[in-house]
Short mmCIF file of all heavy atoms in Angstrom, two decimals:
data_model
loop_
_atom_site.label_atom_id
_atom_site.label_comp_id
_atom_site.label_asym_id
_atom_site.label_seq_id
_atom_site.Cartn_x
_atom_site.Cartn_y
_atom_site.Cartn_z
N MET A 1 10.81 0.85 10.13
CA MET A 1 12.19 1.35 10.23
C MET A 1 13.13 0.37 9.54
O MET A 1 13.25 -0.79 9.93
CB MET A 1 12.53 1.46 11.72
CG MET A 1 13.77 2.24 12.02
SD MET A 1 13.50 3.97 12.25
CE MET A 1 15.12 4.38 12.93
N ILE A 2 13.80 0.83 8.53
CA ILE A 2 14.72 -0.02 7.78
C ILE A 2 16.07 -0.03 8.49
O ILE A 2 16.56 1.01 8.94
CB ILE A 2 14.91 0.52 6.35
CG1 ILE A 2 13.55 0.58 5.61
CG2 ILE A 2 15.91 -0.33 5.58
CD1 ILE A 2 12.89 -0.74 5.40
N SER A 3 16.68 -1.21 8.59
CA SER A 3 18.04 -1.27 9.10
C SER A 3 18.84 -2.24 8.24
O SER A 3 18.27 -3.12 7.58
CB SER A 3 18.06 -1.71 10.56
OG SER A 3 17.52 -3.00 10.70
N LEU A 4 20.15 -2.05 8.24
CA LEU A 4 21.04 -2.92 7.48
C LEU A 4 21.91 -3.69 8.46
O LEU A 4 22.42 -3.12 9.42
CB LEU A 4 21.93 -2.11 6.54
CG LEU A 4 21.23 -1.22 5.53
CD1 LEU A 4 22.27 -0.60 4.61
CD2 LEU A 4 20.20 -1.97 4.72
N ASP A 5 22.05 -4.97 8.19
CA ASP A 5 22.91 -5.83 8.99
C ASP A 5 24.06 -6.26 8.08
O ASP A 5 23.89 -7.13 7.24
CB ASP A 5 22.10 -7.03 9.50
CG ASP A 5 22.89 -7.85 10.50
OD1 ASP A 5 24.01 -7.44 10.85
OD2 ASP A 5 22.38 -8.90 10.91
N SER A 6 25.20 -5.59 8.25
CA SER A 6 26.32 -5.83 7.34
C SER A 6 27.28 -6.85 7.93
O SER A 6 27.64 -6.77 9.10
CB SER A 6 27.09 -4.53 7.07
OG SER A 6 26.29 -3.64 6.34
N THR A 7 27.72 -7.75 7.08
CA THR A 7 28.80 -8.66 7.42
C THR A 7 29.89 -8.43 6.37
O THR A 7 29.65 -7.73 5.39
CB THR A 7 28.34 -10.13 7.36
OG1 THR A 7 28.19 -10.50 6.01
CG2 THR A 7 27.03 -10.33 8.11
N PRO A 8 31.07 -9.00 6.55
CA PRO A 8 32.11 -8.77 5.54
C PRO A 8 31.71 -9.24 4.15
O PRO A 8 32.26 -8.74 3.16
CB PRO A 8 33.30 -9.60 6.08
CG PRO A 8 33.07 -9.61 7.55
CD PRO A 8 31.56 -9.70 7.72
N VAL A 9 30.78 -10.15 4.05
CA VAL A 9 30.46 -10.69 2.73
C VAL A 9 29.10 -10.29 2.20
O VAL A 9 28.81 -10.49 1.02
CB VAL A 9 30.57 -12.24 2.71
CG1 VAL A 9 32.02 -12.66 2.89
CG2 VAL A 9 29.69 -12.85 3.79
N SER A 10 28.26 -9.74 3.06
CA SER A 10 26.93 -9.41 2.55
C SER A 10 26.26 -8.36 3.42
O SER A 10 26.71 -8.07 4.53
CB SER A 10 26.04 -10.65 2.48
OG SER A 10 25.75 -11.09 3.80
N THR A 11 25.20 -7.79 2.91
CA THR A 11 24.38 -6.85 3.67
C THR A 11 22.95 -7.37 3.63
O THR A 11 22.43 -7.67 2.55
CB THR A 11 24.46 -5.45 3.03
OG1 THR A 11 25.79 -4.98 3.11
CG2 THR A 11 23.53 -4.47 3.74
N VAL A 12 22.35 -7.50 4.81
CA VAL A 12 20.96 -7.93 4.90
C VAL A 12 20.10 -6.73 5.23
O VAL A 12 20.41 -5.98 6.17
CB VAL A 12 20.79 -9.03 5.97
CG1 VAL A 12 19.33 -9.50 6.01
CG2 VAL A 12 21.72 -10.21 5.69
N VAL A 13 19.06 -6.55 4.46
CA VAL A 13 18.12 -5.44 4.67
C VAL A 13 16.97 -5.95 5.51
O VAL A 13 16.34 -6.96 5.17
CB VAL A 13 17.59 -4.91 3.32
CG1 VAL A 13 16.75 -3.66 3.55
CG2 VAL A 13 18.72 -4.64 2.36
N LEU A 14 16.70 -5.24 6.63
CA LEU A 14 15.63 -5.65 7.54
C LEU A 14 14.65 -4.49 7.74
O LEU A 14 15.03 -3.33 7.67
CB LEU A 14 16.22 -6.05 8.90
CG LEU A 14 17.21 -7.21 8.87
CD1 LEU A 14 17.93 -7.31 10.20
CD2 LEU A 14 16.52 -8.51 8.53
N CYS A 15 13.38 -4.85 8.02
CA CYS A 15 12.38 -3.84 8.36
C CYS A 15 11.79 -4.19 9.72
O CYS A 15 11.27 -5.29 9.91
CB CYS A 15 11.29 -3.80 7.29
SG CYS A 15 9.97 -2.66 7.71
N SER A 16 11.92 -3.25 10.66
CA SER A 16 11.47 -3.54 12.03
C SER A 16 9.95 -3.72 12.10
O SER A 16 9.44 -4.28 13.05
CB SER A 16 11.92 -2.42 12.96
OG SER A 16 11.30 -1.21 12.60
N ARG A 17 9.24 -3.23 11.12
CA ARG A 17 7.79 -3.34 11.14
C ARG A 17 7.29 -4.54 10.35
O ARG A 17 6.09 -4.82 10.35
CB ARG A 17 7.19 -2.04 10.59
CG ARG A 17 7.46 -0.87 11.53
CD ARG A 17 7.23 0.45 10.86
NE ARG A 17 5.81 0.69 10.62
CZ ARG A 17 5.33 1.78 10.01
NH1 ARG A 17 6.16 2.69 9.58
NH2 ARG A 17 4.04 1.93 9.83
N CYS A 18 8.15 -5.23 9.67
CA CYS A 18 7.79 -6.40 8.87
C CYS A 18 8.74 -7.53 9.24
O CYS A 18 9.78 -7.70 8.60
CB CYS A 18 7.89 -6.11 7.37
SG CYS A 18 6.89 -4.72 6.84
N PRO A 19 8.40 -8.30 10.30
CA PRO A 19 9.33 -9.34 10.77
C PRO A 19 9.72 -10.34 9.68
O PRO A 19 10.78 -10.93 9.76
CB PRO A 19 8.54 -10.02 11.89
CG PRO A 19 7.56 -8.99 12.36
CD PRO A 19 7.20 -8.18 11.14
N GLY A 20 8.86 -10.53 8.71
CA GLY A 20 9.18 -11.50 7.66
C GLY A 20 10.02 -10.93 6.54
O GLY A 20 10.44 -11.67 5.65
N PHE A 21 10.27 -9.63 6.59
CA PHE A 21 10.98 -9.00 5.48
C PHE A 21 12.49 -9.08 5.70
O PHE A 21 13.00 -8.67 6.74
CB PHE A 21 10.57 -7.53 5.34
CG PHE A 21 11.33 -6.80 4.26
CD1 PHE A 21 10.98 -6.94 2.94
CD2 PHE A 21 12.41 -6.00 4.60
CE1 PHE A 21 11.69 -6.27 1.94
CE2 PHE A 21 13.13 -5.33 3.60
CZ PHE A 21 12.77 -5.47 2.27
N ALA A 22 13.18 -9.63 4.73
CA ALA A 22 14.64 -9.62 4.74
C ALA A 22 15.09 -9.77 3.30
O ALA A 22 14.53 -10.56 2.55
CB ALA A 22 15.21 -10.74 5.59
N ASP A 23 16.08 -8.97 2.93
CA ASP A 23 16.55 -9.05 1.56
C ASP A 23 18.07 -8.88 1.57
O ASP A 23 18.62 -8.21 2.44
CB ASP A 23 15.90 -7.95 0.72
CG ASP A 23 15.71 -8.38 -0.74
OD1 ASP A 23 16.38 -9.35 -1.16
OD2 ASP A 23 14.89 -7.76 -1.42
N LEU A 24 18.71 -9.48 0.61
CA LEU A 24 20.16 -9.42 0.53
C LEU A 24 20.60 -8.34 -0.46
O LEU A 24 20.00 -8.18 -1.52
CB LEU A 24 20.72 -10.77 0.06
CG LEU A 24 20.96 -11.81 1.14
CD1 LEU A 24 21.35 -13.14 0.48
CD2 LEU A 24 22.04 -11.37 2.10
N ALA A 25 21.65 -7.62 -0.10
CA ALA A 25 22.22 -6.62 -0.99
C ALA A 25 23.72 -6.84 -1.10
O ALA A 25 24.34 -7.47 -0.25
CB ALA A 25 21.92 -5.22 -0.45
N ASP A 26 24.29 -6.26 -2.16
CA ASP A 26 25.73 -6.40 -2.38
C ASP A 26 26.53 -5.35 -1.61
O ASP A 26 27.74 -5.51 -1.42
CB ASP A 26 26.06 -6.24 -3.87
CG ASP A 26 25.47 -7.39 -4.69
OD1 ASP A 26 25.30 -8.48 -4.13
OD2 ASP A 26 25.20 -7.18 -5.88
N SER A 27 25.90 -4.28 -1.22
CA SER A 27 26.60 -3.19 -0.57
C SER A 27 25.61 -2.42 0.29
O SER A 27 24.40 -2.62 0.18
CB SER A 27 27.20 -2.24 -1.61
OG SER A 27 26.16 -1.58 -2.31
N ARG A 28 26.13 -1.52 1.14
CA ARG A 28 25.21 -0.74 1.96
C ARG A 28 24.36 0.19 1.10
O ARG A 28 23.17 0.38 1.36
CB ARG A 28 26.01 0.06 3.00
CG ARG A 28 26.62 -0.84 4.07
CD ARG A 28 27.30 -0.03 5.17
NE ARG A 28 26.36 0.72 5.97
CZ ARG A 28 25.61 0.20 6.95
NH1 ARG A 28 25.72 -1.08 7.24
NH2 ARG A 28 24.79 0.95 7.63
N ALA A 29 24.96 0.77 0.05
CA ALA A 29 24.17 1.65 -0.82
C ALA A 29 23.03 0.86 -1.47
O ALA A 29 21.90 1.33 -1.56
CB ALA A 29 25.07 2.28 -1.87
N GLU A 30 23.36 -0.34 -1.92
CA GLU A 30 22.33 -1.19 -2.51
C GLU A 30 21.29 -1.57 -1.46
O GLU A 30 20.09 -1.63 -1.74
CB GLU A 30 22.99 -2.45 -3.09
CG GLU A 30 22.03 -3.52 -3.60
CD GLU A 30 21.37 -3.17 -4.92
OE1 GLU A 30 21.64 -2.09 -5.47
OE2 GLU A 30 20.55 -3.98 -5.38
N GLY A 31 21.75 -1.82 -0.24
CA GLY A 31 20.82 -2.15 0.84
C GLY A 31 19.82 -1.03 1.10
O GLY A 31 18.63 -1.28 1.28
N TRP A 32 20.32 0.19 1.10
CA TRP A 32 19.41 1.32 1.31
C TRP A 32 18.47 1.49 0.13
O TRP A 32 17.32 1.90 0.29
CB TRP A 32 20.20 2.60 1.59
CG TRP A 32 20.73 2.64 3.00
CD1 TRP A 32 22.04 2.66 3.38
CD2 TRP A 32 19.95 2.65 4.20
NE1 TRP A 32 22.11 2.66 4.76
CE2 TRP A 32 20.85 2.67 5.28
CE3 TRP A 32 18.59 2.64 4.47
CZ2 TRP A 32 20.43 2.67 6.62
CZ3 TRP A 32 18.15 2.64 5.80
CH2 TRP A 32 19.09 2.66 6.85
N ARG A 33 18.95 1.17 -1.08
CA ARG A 33 18.08 1.27 -2.25
C ARG A 33 16.93 0.27 -2.11
O ARG A 33 15.77 0.61 -2.36
CB ARG A 33 18.88 1.00 -3.54
CG ARG A 33 18.15 1.41 -4.80
CD ARG A 33 18.89 0.98 -6.05
NE ARG A 33 19.00 -0.48 -6.13
CZ ARG A 33 17.97 -1.29 -6.44
NH1 ARG A 33 16.79 -0.79 -6.69
NH2 ARG A 33 18.14 -2.60 -6.49
N ILE A 34 17.25 -0.95 -1.71
CA ILE A 34 16.22 -1.97 -1.51
C ILE A 34 15.29 -1.56 -0.37
O ILE A 34 14.06 -1.68 -0.48
CB ILE A 34 16.88 -3.33 -1.22
CG1 ILE A 34 17.59 -3.85 -2.47
CG2 ILE A 34 15.83 -4.34 -0.73
CD1 ILE A 34 18.49 -5.05 -2.22
N GLY A 35 15.88 -1.07 0.71
CA GLY A 35 15.06 -0.66 1.85
C GLY A 35 14.13 0.49 1.50
O GLY A 35 12.96 0.51 1.92
N ALA A 36 14.63 1.44 0.72
CA ALA A 36 13.80 2.58 0.32
C ALA A 36 12.65 2.11 -0.57
O ALA A 36 11.53 2.62 -0.46
CB ALA A 36 14.66 3.62 -0.41
N ALA A 37 12.92 1.15 -1.42
CA ALA A 37 11.85 0.63 -2.29
C ALA A 37 10.79 -0.08 -1.45
O ALA A 37 9.59 0.06 -1.69
CB ALA A 37 12.45 -0.33 -3.32
N HIS A 38 11.23 -0.83 -0.46
CA HIS A 38 10.27 -1.49 0.45
C HIS A 38 9.46 -0.46 1.22
O HIS A 38 8.25 -0.57 1.34
CB HIS A 38 11.02 -2.41 1.42
CG HIS A 38 10.15 -2.90 2.54
ND1 HIS A 38 9.23 -3.89 2.37
CD2 HIS A 38 10.04 -2.48 3.83
CE1 HIS A 38 8.58 -4.07 3.53
NE2 HIS A 38 9.06 -3.24 4.43
N GLU A 39 10.15 0.54 1.74
CA GLU A 39 9.48 1.57 2.51
C GLU A 39 8.43 2.29 1.67
O GLU A 39 7.31 2.54 2.11
CB GLU A 39 10.53 2.56 3.01
CG GLU A 39 9.97 3.69 3.84
CD GLU A 39 11.06 4.70 4.13
OE1 GLU A 39 11.43 5.45 3.20
OE2 GLU A 39 11.56 4.72 5.25
N GLU A 40 8.80 2.62 0.44
CA GLU A 40 7.87 3.34 -0.44
C GLU A 40 6.62 2.50 -0.69
O GLU A 40 5.51 3.01 -0.76
CB GLU A 40 8.59 3.65 -1.74
CG GLU A 40 7.79 4.53 -2.68
CD GLU A 40 8.66 5.06 -3.80
OE1 GLU A 40 9.70 4.47 -4.11
OE2 GLU A 40 8.28 6.10 -4.38
N ARG A 41 6.81 1.19 -0.82
CA ARG A 41 5.71 0.28 -1.14
C ARG A 41 4.87 -0.01 0.11
O ARG A 41 3.65 0.02 0.06
CB ARG A 41 6.30 -1.03 -1.70
CG ARG A 41 5.29 -1.99 -2.28
CD ARG A 41 6.02 -3.12 -3.02
NE ARG A 41 6.89 -3.90 -2.13
CZ ARG A 41 8.20 -3.98 -2.23
NH1 ARG A 41 8.84 -3.33 -3.18
NH2 ARG A 41 8.90 -4.71 -1.39
N ALA A 42 5.55 -0.27 1.25
CA ALA A 42 4.85 -0.78 2.43
C ALA A 42 4.56 0.29 3.47
O ALA A 42 3.61 0.15 4.24
CB ALA A 42 5.66 -1.91 3.05
N HIS A 43 5.39 1.32 3.53
CA HIS A 43 5.27 2.34 4.58
C HIS A 43 5.41 3.74 3.97
O HIS A 43 6.35 4.47 4.31
CB HIS A 43 6.34 2.13 5.65
CG HIS A 43 6.48 0.70 6.08
ND1 HIS A 43 5.49 0.02 6.77
CD2 HIS A 43 7.48 -0.19 5.89
CE1 HIS A 43 5.90 -1.23 6.99
NE2 HIS A 43 7.10 -1.38 6.47
N PRO A 44 4.52 4.10 3.07
CA PRO A 44 4.70 5.39 2.36
C PRO A 44 4.63 6.59 3.29
O PRO A 44 5.07 7.68 2.90
CB PRO A 44 3.55 5.39 1.34
CG PRO A 44 2.55 4.40 1.86
CD PRO A 44 3.35 3.36 2.61
N GLU A 45 4.11 6.39 4.53
CA GLU A 45 4.02 7.52 5.45
C GLU A 45 5.36 7.84 6.12
O GLU A 45 5.48 8.86 6.80
CB GLU A 45 2.95 7.25 6.52
CG GLU A 45 3.34 6.22 7.60
CD GLU A 45 3.26 4.77 7.13
OE1 GLU A 45 3.01 4.53 5.93
OE2 GLU A 45 3.45 3.88 7.98
N THR A 46 6.34 6.98 5.94
CA THR A 46 7.66 7.25 6.51
C THR A 46 8.67 7.47 5.38
O THR A 46 8.46 7.03 4.25
CB THR A 46 8.16 6.08 7.39
OG1 THR A 46 8.38 4.95 6.55
CG2 THR A 46 7.15 5.72 8.46
N ASP A 47 9.75 8.17 5.72
CA ASP A 47 10.77 8.41 4.68
C ASP A 47 12.18 8.21 5.22
O ASP A 47 13.14 8.73 4.68
CB ASP A 47 10.62 9.81 4.09
CG ASP A 47 10.86 10.91 5.11
OD1 ASP A 47 11.14 10.58 6.28
OD2 ASP A 47 10.79 12.09 4.73
N GLN A 48 12.30 7.42 6.29
CA GLN A 48 13.61 7.23 6.92
C GLN A 48 14.62 6.62 5.94
O GLN A 48 15.73 7.11 5.77
CB GLN A 48 13.45 6.34 8.15
CG GLN A 48 14.76 5.95 8.81
CD GLN A 48 15.02 4.44 8.72
OE1 GLN A 48 14.12 3.66 8.46
NE2 GLN A 48 16.26 4.06 8.91
N ALA A 49 14.24 5.53 5.26
CA ALA A 49 15.18 4.88 4.35
C ALA A 49 15.43 5.74 3.12
O ALA A 49 16.56 5.84 2.64
CB ALA A 49 14.64 3.51 3.93
N ARG A 50 14.37 6.39 2.64
CA ARG A 50 14.56 7.24 1.45
C ARG A 50 15.43 8.44 1.77
O ARG A 50 16.23 8.88 0.96
CB ARG A 50 13.20 7.65 0.89
CG ARG A 50 12.56 6.51 0.09
CD ARG A 50 11.14 6.81 -0.31
NE ARG A 50 10.24 6.67 0.85
CZ ARG A 50 8.94 6.93 0.82
NH1 ARG A 50 8.39 7.33 -0.29
NH2 ARG A 50 8.21 6.76 1.89
N ASP A 51 15.28 8.97 3.00
CA ASP A 51 16.10 10.09 3.42
C ASP A 51 17.57 9.68 3.52
O ASP A 51 18.47 10.39 3.07
CB ASP A 51 15.58 10.60 4.77
CG ASP A 51 16.30 11.86 5.22
OD1 ASP A 51 16.31 12.83 4.45
OD2 ASP A 51 16.86 11.85 6.32
N THR A 52 17.79 8.49 4.10
CA THR A 52 19.17 7.99 4.21
C THR A 52 19.75 7.76 2.82
O THR A 52 20.91 8.12 2.55
CB THR A 52 19.17 6.67 5.01
OG1 THR A 52 18.62 6.93 6.30
CG2 THR A 52 20.59 6.14 5.16
N LEU A 53 18.95 7.19 1.93
CA LEU A 53 19.43 6.93 0.56
C LEU A 53 19.80 8.24 -0.13
O LEU A 53 20.83 8.31 -0.81
CB LEU A 53 18.34 6.19 -0.21
CG LEU A 53 18.69 5.82 -1.64
CD1 LEU A 53 19.87 4.84 -1.68
CD2 LEU A 53 17.48 5.20 -2.34
N SER A 54 19.00 9.28 0.04
CA SER A 54 19.29 10.53 -0.62
C SER A 54 20.58 11.15 -0.07
O SER A 54 21.33 11.77 -0.81
CB SER A 54 18.11 11.49 -0.51
OG SER A 54 17.96 11.92 0.82
N LYS A 55 20.85 10.96 1.24
CA LYS A 55 22.09 11.47 1.82
C LYS A 55 23.29 10.70 1.27
O LYS A 55 24.34 11.28 0.98
CB LYS A 55 22.05 11.36 3.34
CG LYS A 55 21.18 12.44 3.95
CD LYS A 55 21.00 12.21 5.46
CE LYS A 55 20.07 13.26 6.03
NZ LYS A 55 19.46 12.81 7.30
N ILE A 56 23.14 9.39 1.12
CA ILE A 56 24.22 8.58 0.54
C ILE A 56 24.51 9.05 -0.88
O ILE A 56 25.65 9.22 -1.30
CB ILE A 56 23.85 7.09 0.57
CG1 ILE A 56 23.91 6.58 2.01
CG2 ILE A 56 24.78 6.27 -0.33
CD1 ILE A 56 23.34 5.18 2.18
N ARG A 57 23.44 9.29 -1.63
CA ARG A 57 23.62 9.72 -3.03
C ARG A 57 24.23 11.10 -3.10
O ARG A 57 25.00 11.40 -4.01
CB ARG A 57 22.27 9.69 -3.74
CG ARG A 57 21.87 8.26 -4.08
CD ARG A 57 20.56 8.20 -4.83
NE ARG A 57 20.33 6.86 -5.36
CZ ARG A 57 19.11 6.40 -5.66
NH1 ARG A 57 18.06 7.16 -5.53
NH2 ARG A 57 18.98 5.17 -6.13
N ALA A 58 23.90 11.97 -2.13
CA ALA A 58 24.45 13.32 -2.14
C ALA A 58 25.96 13.30 -1.90
O ALA A 58 26.68 14.15 -2.41
CB ALA A 58 23.76 14.16 -1.08
N ARG A 59 26.43 12.30 -1.13
CA ARG A 59 27.87 12.17 -0.85
C ARG A 59 28.61 11.57 -2.01
O ARG A 59 29.80 11.81 -2.18
CB ARG A 59 28.08 11.28 0.37
CG ARG A 59 27.90 12.01 1.70
CD ARG A 59 28.67 11.31 2.82
NE ARG A 59 28.28 9.89 2.99
CZ ARG A 59 27.30 9.49 3.80
NH1 ARG A 59 26.64 10.35 4.50
NH2 ARG A 59 27.01 8.20 3.90
N ALA A 60 27.95 10.75 -2.81
CA ALA A 60 28.63 9.98 -3.86
C ALA A 60 29.05 10.90 -5.00
O ALA A 60 28.44 11.94 -5.22
CB ALA A 60 27.72 8.88 -4.36
ZN1 ZN B 1 8.24 -2.99 6.30
#
């Protein structure tokens, strides 16, 4: 499960199934892009982050 931890200056991408995974993004959209890439690589059986990313893109 991908989650984003946003602060005023940065967004940290976390994966609840990979305690060692953390990545920095410039924005929430970028965070979801990174999370979706991680999910596709590490958890191809789930699509939570990719689904969220596609909804963000549909709004943009
Ligand atoms: Zn993971």
Side-chain angles (χ1 to χ4, degrees):
M1 193 90 168
I2 301 296
S3 62
L4 302 185
D5 188 4
S6 293
T7 73
V9 293
S10 68
T11 296
V12 182
V13 187
L14 300 168
C15 176
S16 63
R17 293 164 70 182
C18 303
F21 177 80
D23 211 342
L24 274 174
D26 294 333
S27 67
R28 290 186 68 79
E30 173 75 0
W32 283 117
R33 194 187 63 73
I34 291 169
H38 168 77
E39 180 187 73
E40 186 167 23
R41 189 170 61 244
H43 314 293
E45 74 283 6
T46 66
D47 64 359
Q48 174 246 342
R50 282 172 284 177
D51 185 56
T52 301
L53 181 64
S54 69
K55 284 173 183 158
I56 288 170
R57 284 182 170 157
R59 279 204 303 270

